[in-house]
Amino acid sequence: MFIIIVGLKNSGKTTLGTALSKIFVKRGYSVGAVKGMPHHDFTHELENSDTHRYSEAGADLVLAHSNNGLLNTKTKEEIDNLVDVFQECDVVICEGLNLPGATASLVCLERGEDISKVWKVRGDFIEPLAFSGKVAKTMKVLLGKPVYDPLDDMEMDALADLLIQFRH
């Protein structure tokens, strides 16, 4: 299952991605994560960085995609083919990247009205299955789709269930 998470800066993308990683790992799935970092020259993983948060959440494989290309954050090895690397993972969470063959798309928002900015910046991804992020504090439904709070374990369990159902 390939899950795309998109949204504007500081909307809750990494919080959502790491919350889902923890749940899928707890359920026995192998998880891979790739963090899109288009404005950074990534050379190594820093403690408390977004990629480090994915490692701490239990992801088996964490890649950073930056101006320098793709880097395995655990082995520091450069990666040529993104899709091939993740073949061993049951769940792949792609934050800020549009991965070919994606199963589902999740959009993180700070406020509901930010959706038009996301469409403008990231209009190339598949229709979202659900919304999440800071917007979950004020909305439970947006454009007819559910909004999940990434800080609420029960809501994250429900979102994981939805993703699994959607995949089948």
Side-chain angles (χ1 to χ4, degrees):
M1 171 178 5
F2 292 93
I3 304 164
I4 297 171
I5 300 175
V6 297
L8 301 175
K9 186 176 174 84
N10 294 321
S11 59
K13 298 181 300 294
T14 303
T15 301
L16 173 62
T18 56
L20 287 172
S21 293
K22 288 177 187 174
I23 287 171
F24 283 121
V25 167
K26 189 168 90 174
R27 292 181 181 190
Y29 291 90
S30 63
V31 175
V34 59
K35 167 75 177 173
M37 303 166 66
H39 305 294
H40 299 281
D41 291 326
F42 185 88
T43 56
H44 63 286
E45 181 175 75
L46 300 173
E47 194 168 327
N48 297 322
S49 66
D50 287 350
T51 55
H52 182 75
R53 289 174 60 192
Y54 278 104
S55 295
E56 292 292 305
D60 299 297
L61 176 62
V62 181
L63 301 182
H65 184 270
S66 73
N67 294 333
N68 296 346
L70 278 168
L71 182 72
N72 182 323
T73 62
K74 293 182 180 181
T75 66
K76 309 299 184 245
E77 169 184 22
E78 289 189 27
I79 306 297
D80 292 324
N81 189 328
L82 180 65
V83 177
D84 289 346
V85 172
F86 286 119
Q87 285 184 351
E88 310 252 333
C89 296
D90 301 316
V91 177
V92 178
I93 297 172
C94 304
E95 181 185 329
L97 290 175
N98 196 357
L99 184 70
T103 311
S105 174
L106 304 172
V107 176
C108 284
L109 301 168
E110 190 169 350
R111 298 176 316 270
E113 57 267 22
D114 291 342
I115 189 66
S116 60
K117 294 176 192 169
V118 173
W119 292 154
K120 191 174 192 177
V121 174
R122 296 301 315 236
D124 61 340
F125 59 92
I126 60 177
E127 181 180 340
L129 180 62
F131 294 93
S132 187
K134 296 175 182 175
V135 69
K137 298 295 181 202
T138 58
M139 303 177 88
K140 291 299 172 198
V141 176
L142 179 63
L143 300 177
K145 308 279 183 171
V147 178
Y148 293 91
D149 185 346
L151 300 176
D152 184 307
D153 291 342
M154 288 178 56
E155 288 193 25
M156 288 296 93
D157 268 326
L159 179 54
D161 291 341
L162 178 66
L163 289 162
I164 291 167
Q165 278 182 329
F166 185 74
R167 181 181 72 166
H168 296 297

